Amino acid sequence: MKIAIQGANMTIIDAILNDFFWRALLGGLGVALIAGPLGCFVVWRRMAYFGDTLAHSALLGIALSFLISVPLNLGVITTSVILAIALMLFSRNKTLATDTLLGILAHSALAIGLVALSFMPNVRIDLTGLLFGDLLAMNRNDLLWIYGGAALILTLLTVLWRGLLMSTIHEELARVEGVPVERLRLLLMLMFALVIAVAMKMVGVLLITALLIIPAATARRLASTPEQMAAMAVVFGFIAVAGGLSMSWHLDTPAGPSVVVTAFVTFLVVYGGAGRLSTRRSA
Amino acid sequence: MSDALVAIENLTVRFGDRPVVDRVNLSLYRGDIITIIGPNGAGKTTLIKAILGIQAATSGRIIRKKNLVIGYVPQHLSLESTLPLSVRRFMLLSGRPLAECESALVRTGVSHLLDASVHHLSGGEQQRLLLARALARKPDLLVLDEPAQGVDINGQAALYDLIRQLRDELNCGVIMISHDLHLVMAATDKVICLNQHVCCSGYPADISHDPAFIETFGRPVAEALAVYHHHHNHSHDLHGNVVDSDHSSPAISHGGSHEDSHTGCQHDHH
């Protein structure tokens, strides 16, 4: 009996995992789970452009992965991590403004990636899929990456939450109170690198930042503590993924952009609605 | 000297070639209130950042007492508007239990704001919140960077009064930067006039007579603080170098003494 139930469960899970739509939904929800809280830090620390830069470098990571034949996810994570560390080192030298530096690195990484790919004529890759996402092509291996990454990131965020939040609120105060600010910044960047690597398949390198920022910004309108904002960002992320996939299914639109469009519509609705309800929450 | 909370020995901090803090000596004990005054760019903030341990020294030493708990009150809390934060949540981020956070808020007079958003606080309320945050940590040393900024004139006097009371209650040391000369002079125990180097230091009554003080802040300020009465103990040449100094002891404990390493002084002498 027990075996039968287990068998039945297995069949249901198998059925779900065998269906591309359900795989896409599961993967999308997994990404939203980590994009919510991490997106809050992107918004709080004004790192939107930084996220873009890491995302653009992902394409370079893919090219390099093909070049030295390593798994794509690994190549992307490694490139993002190297770029994140390079950025940290460069930004200590204050000759160039951070946004200038990010602009240089973001577009150079993207361009070098595209050029490098053109030198590999035997490699057939779906460039549109890389740039704008190919959510419906998500396989079981991708799901493994997403949920493994999600487990790791959520654990890290829970453990490091107070320190991360303190160093976001007031870096010097945090430092005086013994928070290892630099180490946390590096860890946060590594988490960004990881989330970009796993989310790339879903929305593509050009739209990843949207998935980080829009749900977090939407949540800001309704939240009164940082924790509420992170939780609400997850919920808005879920709504964007579920809504976007339905839209893609019914209207035959590309999945990644549909997710971002849904997130944007939610943002407009929340800001419009909340604006009508109360005008006092101006901060 | 071993019971000093912080002992600074010959501290120099350079940004590039420019010495921002130049050979400063300073000891701070429990019960001390030391106020750092000085013109813009005098290195006041850099000095306290060095004391806090968030600014590396180019040379010299800073010796902190073992397990020293520092309560830091920064100039302001420039909170990103995208970050929702209530007073309660901000206080709890200190890692102290709610009861202690609440009593610290009561002590600084802002306990009624427990559920308010930090974004909606006035300048004075924000300063009192930051003070409560420092207080909740039960500090041995309280470091304040212009605590009365953005506070109205009555509030300023009350705030300095509160800092004195807290010093008595906690038996902690206090070091702060202030521009509120009239209030500082009335309220603080020791004053350091910083202009990269320690221009002069001592008790308010003595320091207002000090020529270095008058040079830095101008005669009107000094005259407003005390009846102007002094004779020069040294002069500056056209480059601002000391040509004749009586080389009195630089130690802060000697009231009204004049720092002997005076070569970097930028103020001109009349």
Side-chain angles (χ1 to χ4, degrees), chain B residues 31-120:
Chain B
D32 277 352
I33 294 186
I34 294 181
T35 302
I36 305 169
I37 56 174
N40 289 335
K44 304 184 295 291
T45 301
T46 308
L47 177 60
I48 66 158
K49 279 186 181 170
I51 293 172
L52 289 167
I54 54 180
Q55 170 66 56
T58 310
S59 65
R61 288 207 301 169
I62 302 173
I63 304 152
R64 292 177 200 85
K65 201 181 109 213
K66 230 181 140 191
N67 302 322
L68 182 76
V69 177
I70 299 180
Y72 172 44
V73 179
Q75 225 176 80
H76 34 232
L77 190 63
S78 44
L79 193 61
E80 202 58 56
S81 63
T82 48
L83 208 165
L85 194 65
S86 65
V87 169
R88 177 199 303 269
R89 193 73 197 90
F90 180 59
M91 288 299 290
L92 286 173
L93 278 174
S94 66
R96 304 287 154 138
L98 184 62
E100 282 177 33
C101 293
E102 278 177 336
S103 68
L105 288 170
V106 169
R107 195 62 200 86
T108 60
V110 285
S111 56
H112 58 289
L113 297 170
L114 191 62
D115 290 308
S117 160
V118 174
H119 293 283
H120 297 157

Side-chain angles (χ1 to χ4, degrees), chain A residues 21-58:
Chain A
F21 182 82
W22 287 105
R23 275 201 307 272
L25 187 63
L26 270 178
L29 295 180
V31 169
L33 199 61
I34 41 176
L38 275 183
C40 288
F41 281 106
V42 173
V43 169
W44 294 334
R45 298 170 82 119
R46 297 187 177 219
M47 290 172 87
Y49 209 175
F50 173 81
D52 255 350
T53 306
L54 282 194
H56 287 178
S57 77

Side-chain angles (χ1 to χ4, degrees), chain A:
Chain A
M1 187 65 187
K2 202 173 172 190
I3 294 165
I5 291 170
Q6 234 169 17
N9 278 345
M10 287 306 287
T11 331
I12 292 167
I13 293 169
D14 256 341
I16 287 174
L17 291 182
N18 280 336
D19 185 274
F20 73 94
F21 182 82
W22 287 105
R23 275 201 307 272
L25 187 63
L26 270 178
L29 295 180
V31 169
L33 199 61
I34 41 176
L38 275 183
C40 288
F41 281 106
V42 173
V43 169
W44 294 334
R45 298 170 82 119
R46 297 187 177 219
M47 290 172 87
Y49 209 175
F50 173 81
D52 255 350
T53 306
L54 282 194
H56 287 178
S57 77
L59 202 70
L60 178 61
I62 288 170
L64 292 177
S65 308
F66 280 120
L67 201 65
I68 55 175
S69 333
V70 292
L72 287 192
N73 283 324
L74 199 66
V76 170
I77 291 176
T78 315
T79 319
S80 301
V81 167
I82 290 171
L83 195 79
I85 293 170
L87 268 172
M88 249 175 105
L89 295 177
F90 273 131
S91 60
R92 292 217 178 121
N93 167 7
K94 303 238 156 85
T95 334
L96 287 176
T98 310
D99 63 331
T100 308
L101 195 60
L102 287 172
I104 292 170
L105 287 178
H107 299 109
S108 302
L110 187 63
I112 294 170
L114 289 170
V115 168
L117 283 175
S118 75
F119 277 120
M120 291 177 260
N122 48 347
V123 173
R124 304 297 313 163
I125 56 160
D126 172 17
L127 200 57
T128 319
L130 288 175
L131 293 179
F132 301 105
D134 196 2
L135 187 50
L136 299 178
M138 197 166 281
N139 59 39
R140 287 184 180 215
N141 194 29
D142 295 325
L143 284 182
L144 214 60
W145 268 96
I146 288 175
Y147 280 91
L152 179 66
I153 286 177
L154 288 181
T155 311
L156 277 175
L157 280 178
T158 313
V159 174
L160 305 174
W161 187 257
R162 195 177 77 87
L164 279 171
L165 202 54
M166 251 335 279
S167 55
T168 305
I169 291 169
H170 201 293
E171 197 178 302
E172 287 177 347
L173 193 57
R175 230 180 265 214
V176 171
E177 292 182 357
V179 175
V181 172
E182 293 290 327
R183 217 178 314 155
L184 286 180
R185 179 180 304 149
L186 186 65
L187 273 171
L188 195 61
M189 286 184 176
L190 297 185
M191 287 192 265
F192 285 145
L194 188 59
V195 79
I196 282 163
V198 301
M200 188 181 60
K201 186 117 184 191
M202 192 177 129
V203 287
V205 296
L206 295 183
L207 295 176
I208 285 174
T209 320
L211 205 66
L212 288 167
I213 292 174
I214 300 176
T218 311
R220 172 63 185 103
R221 196 79 180 116
L222 306 171
S224 57
T225 66
E227 292 76 15
Q228 271 179 18
M229 181 161 153
M232 286 181 189
V234 171
V235 173
F236 285 122
F238 284 171
I239 293 173
V241 167
L245 280 180
S246 309
M247 179 176 159
S248 172
W249 179 264
H250 290 293
L251 305 177
D252 197 24
T253 51
S258 303
V259 169
V260 176
V261 166
T262 315
F264 179 59
V265 170
T266 318
F267 169 82
L268 288 180
V269 167
V270 167
Y271 270 71
R276 222 167 293 147
L277 281 175
S278 86
T279 45
R280 74 193 156 83
R281 196 195 291 266
S282 56

Side-chain angles (χ1 to χ4, degrees), chain B residues 2 6 17-18 26 39 43 61 99 101 103 108 115-116 137 150 152 156 182 205 207-208 219 248-249:
Chain B
S2 58
V6 176
D17 285 338
R18 203 166 65 90
L26 171 70
R61 288 207 301 169
C101 293
S103 68
T108 60
D115 290 308
R137 287 167 51 78
D152 64 62
Q156 286 180 5
H182 50 295
I207 206 171
S208 59
R219 202 158 290 164
S248 52
S249 164

